[in-house]
Amino acid sequence: MSVVFLPRVLRISARALGTGASSRPVGFRAHAPFPLSQFLIAVVGRAVHAGSLSGWAGHRGCSGWTSDGGPGHLYGGHIPTNPVQKALLAVGSGMAALQNPYRHDMVAVLGETTGHLALLRLRDRMKSSPEGHSILKERPRIRLSTLDLTEMSSLPDGSLGREYLRFLKENRVTPDSRADVKFVDDEELAYVMQRYREVHDLLHTLLGMPTNMLGEVAVKWFEAAQTGLPMCILGAAFGPLRLSARRLQLLTASLGPWALRNGRRSNCVLSIYYEHRWGQSLTSLREELCIEPPPLSLSTLRKTT
């Protein structure tokens, strides 16, 4: 079933919005005005919450990607939306993401509702590569359940698999935290978006960027130039506003130009079958992708305040 926004928005709960506050329903009152921005964010929160309760789960292959979401749904978890609903989702999620860049659920919705043209270009780039074509055909997922952590930990230092595993452990992150796509109305493009999300941490590894705000902005500059996704462009444009003067200087003088240059000229990072490359050295993979080594060391980036 499609998401119905307005008739139910008066009963939106704080829990559905992810605030951690009481789940008591919130209503409109004459003496308690509800700003437009909060209304739109509430709409998005309700939509995301509704998606998590949709219950659609089609047949899953060995890769974990669901291509059958049931009647009216293109894939597991798909929420059909019309243009007006997509516009509401885009504006509301954009406002929420600007207020709090760590609202990954809002960033995800913004990417799904604004990225159609960019996803088409990324899909075509993947299809033009034999390796990318195989990824689109086989639909692999990067999840803890699909990773052989024991084998990866036994790989030599400097290999993609070993450094990726080190990145996950040192930053206490997991690929399972990446939200499933809901609002992309094309099954193949939905997988392209899902793949983009699941290789994000691999990009941190390839680019040698930490997960602090400076590192995230640098990766967003690379992704903006590489993918053309509006979500990435907005993140690249507004992310620097949250940097300290010292970090902003490093971004504009060094990291930013490097990230943009390499994002534009490098080969498509979504066309690499990383699951088959764990034993390859980072140096070799960077050369293959035409990515220059980072201009600053990881330790320097972590210490910069």
Side-chain angles (χ1 to χ4, degrees), residues 33-156:
F34 199 51
L36 177 61
S37 62
Q38 293 303 313
F39 170 78
L40 291 173
I41 293 171
V43 168
V44 180
R46 182 59 193 168
V48 174
H49 183 61
S52 67
L53 301 177
S54 62
W56 289 106
H59 174 70
R60 292 183 180 271
C62 60
S63 67
W65 177 255
T66 306
S67 59
D68 179 13
H73 296 253
L74 301 176
Y75 50 88
H78 175 228
I79 303 177
T81 50
N82 62 40
V84 173
Q85 292 170 331
K86 272 192 169 54
L88 283 173
L89 286 168
V91 175
S93 61
M95 290 179 175
L98 287 175
Q99 291 179 15
N100 182 3
Y102 291 102
R103 281 295 302 267
H104 299 300
D105 54 342
M106 297 294 103
V107 174
V109 174
L110 179 62
E112 294 175 29
T113 54
T114 62
H116 181 74
L117 294 178
L119 290 173
L120 285 172
R121 290 191 293 268
L122 287 171
R123 189 270 314 273
D124 291 344
R125 290 186 71 184
M126 292 178 72
K127 283 188 172 182
S128 67
S129 157
E131 201 166 350
H133 189 272
S134 295
I135 294 170
L136 287 173
K137 180 180 178 180
E138 298 172 17
R139 308 291 173 84
R141 298 291 303 274
I142 300 177
R143 318 284 287 180
L144 286 178
S145 60
T146 65
L147 299 177
D148 189 336
L149 301 181
T150 302
E151 180 182 354
M152 292 171 71
S153 62
S154 68
L155 293 171

Side-chain angles (χ1 to χ4, degrees), residues 14 20 80 118 133 145 172-173 221 224 248 254 301:
H133 189 272
S145 60
R172 299 180 181 180
V173 295
W221 282 36
L248 184 58
S254 178
L301 293 170

